[in-house]
Amino acid sequence: MKGRIFVVSGPSGVGKSTICRELVKQLDNIYLSVSTTTREKKAGEREGKDYHFVSRDEFERQIKAGNFFEYAEVFGNLYGTPKDKLQQALEQGKTAILEIDVQGAQNVKKLYPEAKLIFILPPKQAELQKRINGRGRDDGKDAEKRIQGAGAEIAAAWQHYEYMVINDDLEQAVEEITQIIK
Ligand code: ADP
Ligand code: 5GP
């Protein structure tokens, strides 16, 4: 495989999707992996664009079929990185970006030690809460679960990730990650 893999993780609402979309716009030769998930589709999300939404049965069938490069259970739902498209992108020499959780990142590192792991941090906790609520995507219970999970995710991350980037000013965060990739 000729291409490179960059993993982008961070607590829910920190700005991962926003940053990754900017990277795709600004850089050439980028492949942004679209994960498969069993979680329900939220308002504004599109099949095949944000995720491939499938049932748990279908996800389990795909695990057995060996379709995933890695997968993990996050907040009670399964999420996985489709293997075929990733392999294809790497063979074409593309830079692949995987927006996945901390467990997924560790699995990727085992499978592909050259992968670089980038963790996105919020400027402060209150800002994370504001972004999750402002996104208007999660109901109260879901938002609470995500805010609660943020501390543990950050604590688990620092020893495994090669780069930490604070997403305060979006443009600056995108520029920092661009420099890491370059
Ligand atoms: P994630 O993918 O990490 O869950 P999103 O990319 O969906 O997060 O961003 C959550 C919300 O925060 C969105 O409404 C997004 O527009 C906003 N956001 C992202 N980056 C910034 C930033 N640097 N400053 C202010 N708001 C931001
Ligand atoms: P959300 O439901 O907010 O879109 O995502 C929840 C969490 O699942 C985030 O931490 C996100 O990075 C992670 N995630 C999304 N896709 C994948 C994947 O394919 N594999 C793994 N391991 N985690 C994923």
Side-chain angles (χ1 to χ4, degrees):
M1 288 194 272
K2 293 178 290 187
R4 301 175 304 155
I5 297 181
F6 291 86
V7 169
V8 173
S9 309
S12 195
V14 77
K16 298 180 295 296
S17 309
T18 310
I19 288 172
C20 289
R21 279 198 300 266
E22 277 305 310
L23 291 171
V24 171
K25 266 195 242 164
Q26 294 182 21
L27 300 175
D28 295 328
N29 223 22
I30 295 268
Y31 166 72
L32 179 59
S33 171
V34 177
S35 297
T36 301
T37 184
T38 62
R39 91 150 156 71
E40 88 281 12
K41 187 158 81 182
K42 296 184 174 170
E45 287 186 328
R46 280 173 299 166
E47 163 61 36
K49 190 93 183 158
D50 299 289
Y51 283 108
H52 301 289
F53 296 94
V54 300
S55 65
R56 197 167 260 264
D57 279 354
E58 171 59 16
F59 198 102
E60 281 165 2
R61 191 194 65 74
Q62 292 196 25
I63 295 174
K64 287 203 190 93
N67 288 6
F68 296 118
F69 181 59
E70 64 73 40
Y71 68 92
E73 180 140 7
V74 192
F75 304 124
N77 291 300
L78 292 163
Y79 295 82
T81 303
K83 192 158 69 182
D84 283 3
K85 284 194 179 146
L86 175 64
Q87 259 165 1
Q88 212 175 48
L90 293 174
E91 274 156 20
Q92 290 167 354
K94 290 195 173 157
T95 297
I97 299 185
L98 311 185
E99 190 200 316
I100 61 177
D101 86 317
V102 176
Q103 311 163 66
Q106 283 170 254
N107 288 334
V108 168
K109 195 72 186 173
K110 278 188 213 132
L111 291 164
Y112 203 89
E114 306 85 358
K116 296 290 176 210
L117 311 186
I118 305 171
F119 195 83
I120 315 286
L121 287 160
K124 51 181 191 285
Q125 213 243 329
E127 178 62 22
L128 196 60
Q129 196 145 2
K130 212 165 82 188
R131 286 185 197 169
I132 290 178
N133 294 329
R135 192 168 56 172
R137 216 182 61 183
D138 314 283
D139 62 30
K141 216 173 84 208
D142 210 23
E144 191 52 40
K145 201 156 61 170
R146 282 154 194 276
I147 293 160
Q148 295 285 327
E153 193 160 17
I154 293 170
W158 70 272
Q159 49 184 329
H160 300 293
Y161 283 72
E162 277 119 349
Y163 302 96
M164 297 287 208
V165 173
I166 297 174
N167 181 23
D168 188 356
D169 177 64
L170 177 64
E171 229 172 279
Q172 196 185 324
V174 171
E175 177 55 27
E176 275 179 46
I177 296 173
T178 300
Q179 290 311 321
I180 293 167
I181 292 174
K182 284 187 173 161

